[in-house]
Amino acid sequence: MSLSLDLLELQCVIEGYAREFGLDFFETRFEMLDYRTLNQVAAYDGFPTRYPHWRFGMEYERLSKSYAYGLHRIYEMVINTDPCYAYLLASNLRVDQKLVMAHVYGHCDFFKNNLWFAHTNRKMLDEMANHATRVRRHIERQGIDKVEAFVDTCLSLDNLIDIHAAGIRRRPHPTSETAEPESVRKLPAKEYMDQFINPPEFLAEQQRRIEAAEQARQHFPESPERDVLLFLLENAPLAHWQHDILDIIREEAYYFAPQRQTKIMNEGWAVFTHTHIMTEKAMTPDELIDYAEHHSGVVATHGGRLNPYKLGFELFRDLEDRWNRGAFGAEYEACHDYRTRKEWDKKVGLGRQKVFEVRRIYNDIGFIDEFLTEDFAREQKLFTFAYNDETENYEIASRKFQDIKRGLLFQLTNFGQPLIEVVDANYGNRGELYLMHRHVGVDLDLPFAEETLRNLYAVWMRPVYIETVVEDEGPVLFSHGADGGVRRKLD
Amino acid sequence: MILAIEQDASRFRQIVRGQVRQNLRKYMSNGELIGRQGRDLVSIPIPQIELPHFRFGNGQGGVGQGDGEPGTPLGPGQPGNGDGVAGDQPGAHILEVELTLEELVQMLGEELGLPRIQPRSKNHVQGETTRYTGIRRVGPEGLRHFKRTYREALKRQMVSGTYNPQRPAIIPIHDDKRYRSWKTYPRPDSNAVIIYMMDVSGSMTQRKKELVRLTAFWIDSWLKAHYKNLVTRYLVHDAAAHEVDAHTFFHVRESGGTKISSAYELCRDIIRKDYPADEWNLYAFHFSDGENFGDEDDKRCLALLKEELLPPMNLFCYGQVQGGYGRQFMETLGDVHNEKLATAKINEDGDVYSAIKTFLGKGV
């Protein structure tokens, strides 16, 4: 349903304010949905059409149930496309629609300008619909059970992507086929001097080195492959329809990856912009109470949980404030007096410029790493928590800045997923697939890992392995083959 | 309007039911369900409806925000997964689904292949029921339909031009009044009585009674799904039989010897007195550990069963709970060949499933 005339006018006004604020976005189209349709769209991650799969139904049931119980309410959804589409809930109050529109323009600006979104497909709406058609066609030919089972298998591997793939060339340039095989080069020497200038032991060692390098090149893959899905697409023995489905899953995984990498920034930025637009321009005095209530609902923290909307918003605010006051740089860093830092004001007024710059070039991990300061952590009452086996409860573990920052950065590294690479696709010279988990202090969820390995086996069709580390146990190798799963301790 | 996602949602429900079905035996030996009423939702944990991923294990903690000192407990269920930012991925772990007990019972029926128990053919109508379905112009004031009455009055005032929007008073007159009217419908009654009998001799331990309780729960739930009016009576016996209430039935202290015939006689008397077979569906379930007092009593039981109990009954079931040593009553019953008689051994929780199958699968 398109907007009423009244809301279209409102949109023009808000859009004007958004541009005045300095936002830069693709054309934005709003649609009005009732809560059922909005729940559907939300279950489909914002898209009106997706391929058939039960997990969307599961999400829809969950959303409908929690809406019915009044546990939550979706005010809006935005998708990263060009033009940008945003959905409004029909039953929102007018002041909510204002707030939501201002919020949406924040997201649209972020999608367009943040570098991590630069490689995303802006025509994803069409692409998703194409995916749906392709999957339906496979279902018609192969049957729902077969296709669904394979989609489940692929989805269980869909975090095995290389989030930096779009920006980094990890594979070496293909060398020309005609390059001559390397051989040991001898220095020119007269025959009687030869064994002194080119000692035989030295030549033999050079020869060995060349052969080793040659052998390493034959190693497959030559260097560890982080885009496991791509590796499977290129090398697994897949039927045509399976190949197509894995391709679809991978493409969608890459499309959604930047959103997971920038959740804190993106939501923070949207709150930051709606706050400015509403409080400085758009809100009328009689809307204050409703606005205050809904805004505080967005940035509330419950039960000690971290709210990405709040964290991002506060960080942007802190950033603007500090750059306005010139509270950065060597002189500021060298100052250790809390009061002086608090009252620091060089009146440089760089705040607005800085926040726009930051929203363009950072993702969550850089954002936190660069701008989460000790003062900020203290003011925002951040803490780390851990599970206490004795009390069988989660407890506050520490309020030390270093711990907090380390904890946050850990959660955000590789968008919160373990780093897993294909290191050998011809393991034991038997065409078996060997993955390596780069353990960084936290174990894998082992029962899940075994299940996932089973799914990997279903794709690779030859035995598969994953090497990881288990606390208290050391390196462990899990494998899955025709006879099921095996767990073996490595030395 | 039907949403496209309904298809996915129904596929999801189908998968959930499939999973519940696979694990039905487990849920049936789950004592926690006992005591629930028919429409209550039952939460059932579903293993792995979440797709597995390589991900970090739980219990590692994370970062939060708020007041408190180190050591201050956070609310239960704090997500400690390393998936994004803590608290940012609500409900990623749906491991429980809700079903009504009714659905579960129905599933039980489908899965076990239990035949639907046919209510006895009863041509005579046993009752009438009244439903308020219509509106009429006359009736008792107590049944006056206010909304309709005022609507009529408003209509009349608008038509006659006496309605004043500035002063919107609506005054119904006699002709405006509308009353609810009712119709009577014949109501075919299906009544059933379950008579539970239990041996409470010295060897019937608490554990054995728990098994009886579990079995009785599913029998009740199943029969309730088929009969509108279900009456349950409880008899206990050692050397003599008494009628007791449900609580006593499951909690009475064990003592004394065993004379099964005493219970069968009491059962017969109750049926004769209260539940004539042409009006009632009769089900009897007898639980014992199978140690009866002597051959004489066994013979007496057989005679009672064959001549007086089985003929009016829909079904007579004997469940032997963790049988003792020596000759057991179950072997005696082996001599009776009547399709209305079913026997099963219930030695542990898992046997409840097969016992129900044996019992109700024989439904007449």
Side-chain angles (χ1 to χ4, degrees), chain A residues 36 40 44 52-54 58 60-61 145 148 155-156 158-159 260 263 301 304 306 310 380-385 393-396 399 411 416 420 443-445 448 451-452, chain B residues 1 3-5 8-9 11-13 15 48-49 51-57 60-74 78 82-86 88 94:
Chain A
R36 284 178 64 223
Q40 162 175 308
Y44 283 150
H53 192 258
W54 58 265
M58 175 168 83
Y60 177 70
E61 295 253 301
D145 293 326
E148 190 180 65
L155 283 173
S156 125
D158 76 352
N159 58 341
R260 304 181 64 177
K263 176 90 179 168
T301 52
L306 210 58
K310 180 172 176 68
Q380 291 297 318
K381 301 180 179 171
L382 300 184
F383 57 76
T384 62
F385 62 84
N393 214 335
Y394 283 97
E395 288 177 357
I396 294 179
R399 288 205 179 262
Q411 284 179 9
I420 290 169
D443 292 356
L444 292 180
D445 177 335
F448 250 38
E451 284 296 312
T452 314
Chain B
M1 186 182 57
L3 297 177
I5 204 158
D8 292 333
R11 182 77 188 157
F12 166 64
R13 287 191 287 263
I15 290 170
Q48 305 250 314
I49 196 85
L51 287 168
H53 280 101
F54 289 123
R55 62 166 193 199
F56 294 119
Q60 298 295 337
V63 178
Q65 179 170 21
D67 292 315
E69 294 303 310
T72 307
L74 304 173
Q78 180 77 21
D83 188 12
V85 176
D88 151 32
I94 299 192

XYZ file of all heavy atoms in Angstrom, chain A residues 36 40 44 52-54 58 60-61 145 148 155-156 158-159 260 263 301 304 306 310 380-385 393-396 399 411 416 420 443-445 448 451-452, chain B residues 1 3-5 8-9 11-13 15 48-49 51-57 60-74 78 82-86 88 94:
672
model
N 0.582 -7.837 9.996
C 0.819 -9.210 9.516
C 1.799 -9.201 8.353
O 2.733 -9.993 8.290
C -0.498 -9.855 9.076
C -1.374 -10.287 10.235
C -2.677 -10.883 9.730
N -2.471 -12.110 8.973
C -3.097 -12.405 7.835
N -3.960 -11.555 7.312
N -2.866 -13.538 7.208
N 5.628 -10.576 7.976
C 6.102 -11.431 6.891
C 7.375 -10.857 6.295
O 8.367 -11.564 6.116
C 5.033 -11.554 5.803
C 5.624 -12.054 4.488
C 4.586 -12.305 3.418
O 3.613 -13.000 3.649
N 4.792 -11.751 2.245
N 11.194 -12.357 6.204
C 11.970 -12.509 4.968
C 13.170 -11.553 4.946
O 13.651 -11.205 3.874
C 11.095 -12.204 3.755
C 10.124 -13.289 3.344
C 8.914 -12.963 2.741
C 10.424 -14.626 3.527
C 8.016 -13.946 2.335
C 9.535 -15.614 3.123
C 8.337 -15.268 2.533
O 7.466 -16.236 2.125
N 10.972 -20.399 -1.024
C 10.247 -21.053 0.070
C 11.190 -21.794 0.992
O 12.043 -22.544 0.543
C 9.308 -22.030 -0.646
C 9.795 -22.146 -2.038
C 10.673 -20.982 -2.340
N 11.081 -21.515 2.270
C 11.849 -22.279 3.250
C 11.201 -22.161 4.622
O 10.719 -21.097 4.992
C 13.298 -21.794 3.315
C 14.184 -22.727 4.085
N 14.573 -22.487 5.365
C 14.713 -23.930 3.756
C 15.327 -23.493 5.798
N 15.422 -24.382 4.835
N 11.238 -23.269 5.351
C 10.528 -23.291 6.631
C 11.053 -22.295 7.652
O 10.334 -21.846 8.522
C 10.546 -24.695 7.231
C 11.928 -25.248 7.453
C 12.622 -26.054 6.604
C 12.787 -25.020 8.572
N 13.856 -26.334 7.122
C 13.993 -25.723 8.336
C 12.651 -24.307 9.769
C 15.043 -25.724 9.236
C 13.713 -24.305 10.663
C 14.890 -25.003 10.392
N 9.177 -20.125 10.505
C 9.491 -20.177 11.933
C 9.643 -18.769 12.495
O 9.104 -18.443 13.546
C 10.784 -20.974 12.136
C 11.278 -21.012 13.550
S 12.587 -22.241 13.760
C 14.002 -21.312 13.213
N 8.420 -16.073 11.229
C 7.121 -15.410 11.170
C 6.259 -15.798 12.378
O 5.637 -14.947 13.009
C 6.413 -15.790 9.867
C 5.026 -15.210 9.739
C 4.844 -13.851 9.543
C 3.903 -16.029 9.834
C 3.573 -13.311 9.431
C 2.625 -15.495 9.719
C 2.466 -14.140 9.520
O 1.220 -13.607 9.423
N 6.271 -17.085 12.710
C 5.507 -17.550 13.875
C 5.998 -16.848 15.137
O 5.216 -16.435 15.983
C 5.674 -19.058 14.059
C 5.088 -19.864 12.942
C 3.817 -20.575 13.355
O 3.876 -21.376 14.294
O 2.770 -20.312 12.739
N 11.199 -32.173 -0.657
C 12.012 -32.735 0.433
C 13.500 -32.704 0.101
O 14.325 -32.333 0.924
C 11.578 -34.173 0.734
C 10.175 -34.208 1.324
O 9.844 -33.257 2.063
O 9.427 -35.148 1.027
N 14.675 -28.981 -0.043
C 14.693 -28.394 1.295
C 15.860 -28.947 2.113
O 16.566 -28.189 2.793
C 13.381 -28.693 2.012
C 13.227 -27.922 3.300
C 11.921 -28.249 3.994
O 11.755 -29.400 4.418
O 11.069 -27.374 4.080
N 22.617 -23.869 4.265
C 22.445 -22.810 5.259
C 23.314 -23.074 6.477
O 23.767 -22.146 7.139
C 20.981 -22.714 5.695
C 20.046 -22.016 4.717
C 18.621 -22.147 5.202
C 20.416 -20.553 4.548
N 23.511 -24.339 6.772
C 24.294 -24.637 7.959
C 25.765 -24.290 7.742
O 26.541 -24.216 8.684
C 24.054 -26.091 8.355
O 25.224 -26.795 8.455
N 26.533 -21.440 5.883
C 26.530 -20.128 5.226
C 27.332 -19.047 5.950
O 27.431 -17.933 5.473
C 25.099 -19.650 4.935
C 24.384 -19.155 6.181
O 24.929 -19.309 7.285
O 23.277 -18.617 6.038
N 27.892 -19.387 7.121
C 28.781 -18.393 7.738
C 30.248 -18.629 7.360
O 31.124 -17.909 7.813
C 28.621 -18.391 9.267
C 28.917 -19.742 9.870
O 28.907 -20.758 9.171
N 29.197 -19.788 11.149
N 25.628 -7.304 9.256
C 26.063 -7.868 10.522
C 27.362 -7.227 10.990
O 27.640 -7.166 12.174
C 26.249 -9.382 10.374
C 24.984 -10.061 9.876
C 25.165 -11.545 9.747
N 25.422 -12.165 11.045
C 25.552 -13.470 11.207
N 25.430 -14.266 10.161
N 25.771 -13.981 12.385
N 26.192 -3.474 12.461
C 24.938 -3.342 13.208
C 24.979 -2.142 14.184
O 24.069 -1.320 14.214
C 24.694 -4.640 13.984
C 23.480 -4.622 14.877
C 22.257 -5.107 14.155
C 21.058 -5.097 15.084
N 19.815 -5.293 14.359
N 18.064 -0.105 27.799
C 18.789 -1.353 28.022
C 18.011 -2.159 29.050
O 17.510 -1.620 30.029
C 20.206 -1.103 28.560
O 20.101 -0.244 29.694
C 21.070 -0.459 27.529
N 20.713 -5.457 31.871
C 22.159 -5.446 31.695
C 22.615 -5.790 30.290
O 23.798 -5.925 30.030
N 23.459 -5.329 26.367
C 23.953 -4.261 25.527
C 22.954 -4.044 24.400
O 22.523 -4.977 23.763
C 25.293 -4.695 24.955
C 26.302 -3.603 24.663
C 26.601 -2.809 25.906
C 27.573 -4.242 24.139
N 21.656 1.797 21.340
C 22.145 2.746 22.330
C 23.653 2.913 22.229
O 24.153 4.041 22.193
C 21.768 2.287 23.742
C 22.270 3.250 24.814
C 21.724 2.901 26.183
C 22.299 3.806 27.256
N 21.841 5.201 27.126
N 29.112 4.987 30.423
C 28.023 4.130 29.947
C 27.848 2.878 30.809
O 27.035 2.019 30.501
C 28.286 3.719 28.495
C 28.161 4.862 27.499
C 26.767 5.421 27.451
O 25.789 4.680 27.461
N 26.645 6.741 27.416
N 28.647 2.785 31.860
C 28.543 1.655 32.797
C 28.674 0.303 32.099
O 27.865 -0.610 32.311
C 27.195 1.694 33.537
C 26.984 2.971 34.332
C 25.643 2.915 35.010
C 25.386 4.156 35.839
N 24.005 4.213 36.338
N 29.627 0.211 31.220
C 29.830 -1.073 30.543
C 30.526 -2.051 31.480
O 31.268 -1.658 32.374
C 30.671 -0.878 29.280
C 30.090 0.049 28.232
C 30.982 0.080 26.994
C 28.681 -0.364 27.833
N 30.265 -3.307 31.271
C 30.935 -4.344 32.060
C 31.051 -5.606 31.222
O 30.404 -5.721 30.168
C 30.177 -4.641 33.359
C 28.747 -5.065 33.158
C 28.430 -6.353 32.709
C 27.687 -4.181 33.425
C 27.117 -6.745 32.536
C 26.367 -4.580 33.242
C 26.087 -5.848 32.800
N 31.873 -6.531 31.670
C 31.862 -7.845 31.029
C 31.138 -8.795 31.964
O 31.143 -8.600 33.184
C 33.274 -8.398 30.784
O 33.904 -8.562 32.052
C 34.091 -7.459 29.927
N 30.487 -9.780 31.408
C 29.840 -10.783 32.251
C 30.314 -12.168 31.854
O 30.842 -12.381 30.764
C 28.310 -10.679 32.164
C 27.742 -10.925 30.800
C 27.497 -12.223 30.350
C 27.429 -9.875 29.964
C 26.969 -12.450 29.089
C 26.900 -10.092 28.696
C 26.669 -11.375 28.270
N 24.491 -18.864 37.146
C 23.926 -17.607 36.678
C 25.004 -16.815 35.943
O 26.185 -17.034 36.147
C 23.443 -16.812 37.887
C 22.212 -16.013 37.553
O 21.986 -15.671 36.392
N 21.421 -15.720 38.546
N 24.566 -15.908 35.087
C 25.523 -14.977 34.513
C 25.759 -13.848 35.496
O 24.802 -13.331 36.081
C 25.009 -14.434 33.187
C 25.168 -15.423 32.059
C 24.107 -16.235 31.670
C 26.379 -15.549 31.403
C 24.263 -17.155 30.653
C 26.543 -16.459 30.377
C 25.491 -17.259 30.006
O 25.646 -18.160 28.994
N 27.009 -13.510 35.686
C 27.344 -12.469 36.640
C 28.250 -11.431 35.992
O 28.982 -11.737 35.061
C 28.076 -13.073 37.846
C 27.190 -13.881 38.740
C 27.968 -14.524 39.885
O 29.207 -14.373 39.920
O 27.322 -15.156 40.727
N 28.211 -10.229 36.569
C 29.144 -9.202 36.125
C 30.551 -9.666 36.497
O 30.801 -10.040 37.642
C 28.828 -7.862 36.809
C 27.461 -7.355 36.335
C 29.917 -6.841 36.507
C 27.020 -6.063 36.954
N 34.775 -4.621 35.435
C 34.510 -3.291 34.893
C 35.794 -2.652 34.386
O 35.873 -1.448 34.190
C 33.851 -2.410 35.962
C 32.411 -2.807 36.233
C 31.617 -1.651 36.777
N 30.233 -2.027 37.017
C 29.245 -1.767 36.168
N 29.481 -1.150 35.039
N 28.019 -2.128 36.458
N 33.792 -10.194 20.228
C 32.446 -10.473 19.707
C 32.289 -10.037 18.263
O 31.467 -10.557 17.532
C 31.398 -9.737 20.531
C 31.130 -10.390 21.864
C 30.100 -9.625 22.665
O 29.465 -8.706 22.168
N 29.923 -10.001 23.907
N 31.679 -12.012 14.487
C 31.232 -12.870 15.578
C 31.282 -14.352 15.263
O 30.773 -15.162 16.021
N 37.428 -20.013 10.045
C 37.630 -21.384 9.570
C 38.071 -21.344 8.113
O 37.503 -20.612 7.301
C 36.332 -22.202 9.746
C 36.092 -22.430 11.230
C 36.421 -23.521 8.999
C 34.755 -22.967 11.564
N 36.284 -21.867 22.515
C 36.015 -23.123 21.818
C 34.803 -23.023 20.908
O 33.924 -22.187 21.102
C 35.732 -24.234 22.840
C 36.974 -24.584 23.635
O 38.034 -24.017 23.340
O 36.856 -25.419 24.556
N 34.765 -23.936 19.958
C 33.561 -24.083 19.151
C 32.476 -24.735 20.002
O 32.763 -25.392 20.999
C 33.837 -24.991 17.944
C 34.781 -24.473 16.868
C 34.917 -25.527 15.782
C 34.245 -23.187 16.278
N 31.253 -24.555 19.589
C 30.139 -25.300 20.156
C 30.269 -26.716 19.580
O 29.970 -26.956 18.422
C 28.846 -24.617 19.710
C 27.608 -25.343 20.186
O 27.699 -26.564 20.424
O 26.567 -24.692 20.298
N 27.342 -28.857 18.002
C 26.944 -28.221 16.748
C 27.998 -28.436 15.668
O 27.666 -28.642 14.502
C 26.716 -26.723 16.984
C 25.273 -26.334 16.904
C 24.290 -27.171 17.412
C 24.882 -25.140 16.314
C 22.957 -26.820 17.326
C 23.546 -24.783 16.227
C 22.588 -25.627 16.731
N 27.541 -31.726 14.094
C 26.389 -31.715 13.179
C 26.727 -31.013 11.864
O 26.323 -31.442 10.789
C 25.205 -30.988 13.833
C 24.483 -31.796 14.889
C 23.839 -33.026 14.291
O 23.163 -32.899 13.255
O 24.032 -34.118 14.851
N 27.444 -29.892 12.008
C 27.783 -29.119 10.823
C 28.721 -29.902 9.919
O 28.597 -29.879 8.693
C 28.443 -27.790 11.233
O 27.682 -27.217 12.293
C 28.487 -26.822 10.080
N -6.977 -12.160 3.458
C -5.835 -12.294 2.569
C -4.868 -13.336 3.130
O -4.550 -13.328 4.308
C -5.131 -10.943 2.454
C -4.020 -10.970 1.448
S -3.145 -9.383 1.356
C -2.612 -9.147 3.023
N -1.184 -14.744 3.271
C 0.173 -14.295 3.003
C 0.998 -15.443 2.430
O 0.766 -16.606 2.748
C 0.823 -13.811 4.291
C 0.181 -12.607 4.956
C 0.889 -12.299 6.247
C 0.221 -11.407 4.042
N 1.955 -15.067 1.601
C 2.827 -16.077 0.989
C 3.552 -16.886 2.060
O 3.812 -18.066 1.907
C 3.842 -15.384 0.085
N 3.827 -16.218 3.171
C 4.648 -16.878 4.184
C 3.872 -17.975 4.919
O 4.472 -18.837 5.566
C 5.220 -15.843 5.164
C 6.485 -16.400 5.816
C 4.194 -15.445 6.216
C 7.384 -15.373 6.365
N 5.283 -21.251 4.212
C 6.497 -21.564 4.967
C 6.156 -21.883 6.412
O 6.750 -22.764 7.028
C 7.473 -20.381 4.932
C 8.040 -20.156 3.540
O 8.109 -21.123 2.773
O 8.400 -19.011 3.242
N 5.192 -21.132 6.941
C 4.808 -21.345 8.343
C 4.208 -22.732 8.513
O 4.500 -23.432 9.485
C 3.826 -20.263 8.790
N 4.758 -25.281 6.644
C 5.858 -26.243 6.459
C 6.633 -26.392 7.772
O 7.001 -27.485 8.171
C 6.779 -25.720 5.348
C 7.934 -26.620 5.016
C 7.514 -27.814 4.171
N 8.617 -28.758 4.014
C 8.464 -30.033 3.734
N 7.257 -30.537 3.568
N 9.501 -30.820 3.608
N 6.844 -25.272 8.425
C 7.554 -25.293 9.710
C 6.774 -26.113 10.738
O 7.335 -26.959 11.432
C 7.758 -23.857 10.206
C 8.168 -23.756 11.638
C 9.377 -24.282 12.065
C 7.344 -23.148 12.570
C 9.763 -24.189 13.394
C 7.718 -23.057 13.900
C 8.927 -23.587 14.311
N 5.464 -25.853 10.802
C 4.648 -26.597 11.768
C 4.674 -28.091 11.468
O 4.707 -28.919 12.370
C 3.219 -26.071 11.758
C 3.087 -24.712 12.429
C 1.630 -24.345 12.636
N 0.994 -23.985 11.371
C 0.843 -22.722 10.955
N 1.273 -21.734 11.701
N 0.275 -22.466 9.814
N 7.122 -29.722 10.118
C 8.422 -30.250 10.551
C 8.418 -30.447 12.064
O 8.874 -31.467 12.575
C 9.560 -29.295 10.127
C 9.722 -29.331 8.619
C 10.862 -29.664 10.816
C 10.628 -28.268 8.053
N 17.412 -29.325 17.830
C 18.002 -28.952 16.547
C 17.029 -28.477 15.485
O 17.174 -28.809 14.325
C 18.775 -30.130 15.974
C 19.805 -30.656 16.912
C 21.192 -30.356 16.453
O 21.513 -30.543 15.302
N 22.018 -29.866 17.327
N 16.046 -27.694 15.886
C 15.264 -27.063 14.833
C 16.076 -25.877 14.346
O 15.879 -25.338 13.291
C 13.878 -26.622 15.352
C 12.934 -26.335 14.202
C 13.979 -25.436 16.255
C 12.250 -27.551 13.702
N 19.366 -24.623 12.764
C 20.344 -25.257 11.885
C 21.724 -25.161 12.510
O 22.105 -24.123 13.010
C 20.336 -24.574 10.524
C 19.113 -24.878 9.665
C 19.051 -23.941 8.480
C 19.150 -26.314 9.186
N 22.473 -26.244 12.475
C 23.805 -26.207 13.100
C 24.776 -25.349 12.292
O 24.669 -25.272 11.069
C 24.228 -27.679 13.080
C 23.470 -28.288 11.962
C 22.162 -27.552 11.884
N 25.654 -24.692 12.989
C 26.712 -23.903 12.364
C 28.002 -24.153 13.125
O 27.970 -24.555 14.276
C 26.395 -22.402 12.469
C 25.424 -21.915 11.454
N 24.105 -21.712 11.750
C 25.577 -21.580 10.153
C 23.480 -21.283 10.658
N 24.351 -21.197 9.678
N 29.101 -23.843 12.477
C 30.321 -23.716 13.266
C 30.200 -22.390 13.985
O 30.166 -21.339 13.339
C 31.571 -23.709 12.367
C 31.881 -25.029 11.754
C 31.980 -25.183 10.385
C 32.092 -26.136 12.562
C 32.271 -26.413 9.816
C 32.391 -27.380 12.007
C 32.468 -27.513 10.628
N 30.101 -22.437 15.291
C 29.965 -21.191 16.034
C 30.631 -21.386 17.391
O 31.018 -22.499 17.758
C 28.491 -20.833 16.216
C 27.764 -21.889 17.014
C 26.411 -21.418 17.492
N 25.927 -22.351 18.495
C 24.664 -22.457 18.857
N 23.756 -21.692 18.309
N 24.305 -23.316 19.779
N 30.725 -20.305 18.143
C 31.363 -20.406 19.444
C 30.435 -21.060 20.448
O 29.222 -20.910 20.371
C 31.788 -19.027 19.935
C 32.869 -18.412 19.098
C 32.668 -17.221 18.433
C 34.090 -19.056 18.965
C 33.672 -16.671 17.646
C 35.094 -18.504 18.184
C 34.886 -17.313 17.519
N 31.037 -21.755 21.386
C 30.254 -22.398 22.419
C 29.660 -21.372 23.368
O 30.078 -20.221 23.395
N 30.456 -18.314 27.484
C 31.702 -17.566 27.492
C 31.519 -16.144 27.991
O 32.487 -15.445 28.228
C 32.301 -17.535 26.089
C 32.655 -18.907 25.576
C 33.754 -19.569 26.371
O 34.531 -18.891 27.021
N 33.804 -20.879 26.347
N 30.295 -15.725 28.121
C 30.069 -14.367 28.596
C 30.105 -13.364 27.474
O 30.063 -13.719 26.298
N 30.185 -12.094 27.834
C 30.152 -11.050 26.832
C 30.200 -9.710 27.515
O 30.667 -9.604 28.641
N 29.692 -8.684 26.817
C 29.721 -7.346 27.374
C 28.297 -6.865 27.580
O 27.434 -7.084 26.749
C 30.484 -6.388 26.434
C 30.482 -4.976 26.993
C 31.911 -6.873 26.246
N 28.072 -6.219 28.708
C 26.753 -5.692 29.010
C 26.858 -4.268 29.508
O 27.936 -3.673 29.529
N 25.718 -3.747 29.935
C 25.659 -2.345 30.313
C 24.678 -2.195 31.461
O 23.587 -2.750 31.417
C 25.196 -1.532 29.101
C 25.055 -0.060 29.349
C 24.822 0.698 28.046
O 24.404 0.116 27.065
N 25.101 1.977 28.047
N 25.046 -1.459 32.484
C 24.115 -1.226 33.578
C 24.825 -1.141 34.911
O 26.056 -1.125 34.972
N 24.014 -1.087 35.974
C 24.571 -0.953 37.314
C 25.030 -2.300 37.842
O 24.668 -3.337 37.318
C 23.506 -0.371 38.253
C 23.199 1.069 37.885
O 24.160 1.829 37.648
O 21.999 1.425 37.810
N 25.768 -2.249 38.932
C 26.162 -3.481 39.601
C 27.660 -3.591 39.762
O 28.421 -2.933 39.058
N 28.039 -4.427 40.706
C 29.451 -4.675 40.974
C 29.811 -6.018 40.367
O 28.930 -6.831 40.117
C 29.670 -4.749 42.495
C 29.427 -3.438 43.212
C 30.312 -2.333 42.656
O 31.534 -2.571 42.551
O 29.784 -1.270 42.297
N 31.129 -6.257 40.163
C 31.510 -7.607 39.767
C 30.926 -8.617 40.747
O 30.995 -8.418 41.960
C 33.040 -7.565 39.827
C 33.366 -6.146 39.508
C 32.258 -5.333 40.115
N 30.311 -9.663 40.227
C 29.654 -10.641 41.080
C 28.144 -10.474 41.117
O 27.434 -11.384 41.508
N 27.651 -9.300 40.698
C 26.201 -9.111 40.662
C 25.600 -10.019 39.602
O 26.033 -9.991 38.447
C 25.844 -7.658 40.300
O 26.552 -6.799 41.192
C 24.352 -7.414 40.403
N 24.628 -10.838 39.992
C 24.047 -11.731 38.974
C 23.157 -10.962 38.000
O 22.489 -9.996 38.375
C 23.230 -12.709 39.807
C 22.977 -12.028 41.099
C 24.062 -11.042 41.322
N 23.198 -11.381 36.753
C 22.285 -10.832 35.755
C 21.076 -11.753 35.700
O 21.107 -12.858 36.215
C 22.961 -10.785 34.394
C 24.274 -10.016 34.356
C 24.929 -10.176 33.000
C 24.026 -8.549 34.637
N 20.505 -14.957 30.237
C 21.357 -13.994 29.546
C 22.078 -14.691 28.412
O 22.751 -15.688 28.618
C 22.374 -13.438 30.538
C 23.327 -12.432 29.935
C 22.683 -11.074 29.753
O 21.698 -10.772 30.387
N 23.235 -10.294 28.857
N 28.566 -15.868 21.340
C 29.413 -14.879 20.705
C 28.822 -14.391 19.402
O 29.519 -13.915 18.540
N 27.543 -14.515 19.251
C 26.904 -14.200 17.983
C 26.527 -12.729 17.967
O 25.535 -12.323 18.530
C 25.664 -15.079 17.823
C 25.055 -14.938 16.448
O 25.722 -14.356 15.576
O 23.929 -15.410 16.261
N 27.325 -11.931 17.307
C 27.054 -10.500 17.265
C 27.212 -9.924 18.645
O 28.013 -10.389 19.440
N 26.430 -8.935 18.939
C 26.507 -8.295 20.236
C 25.470 -8.930 21.148
O 24.369 -9.227 20.720
C 26.221 -6.793 20.080
C 26.190 -6.117 21.433
C 27.284 -6.164 19.201
N 25.856 -9.149 22.393
C 24.924 -9.793 23.313
C 23.600 -9.050 23.338
O 23.573 -7.827 23.394
C 25.530 -9.830 24.709
N 21.489 -8.811 21.066
C 21.133 -8.184 19.813
C 20.392 -9.164 18.908
O 19.735 -8.794 17.956
C 22.442 -7.661 19.193
C 22.408 -7.609 17.690
O 21.326 -7.376 17.170
O 23.461 -7.782 17.072
N 15.142 -21.024 19.162
C 13.836 -21.601 19.412
C 14.033 -23.088 19.564
O 14.237 -23.787 18.596
C 12.872 -21.340 18.263
C 12.692 -19.843 18.116
C 11.543 -22.025 18.520
C 11.576 -19.458 17.223
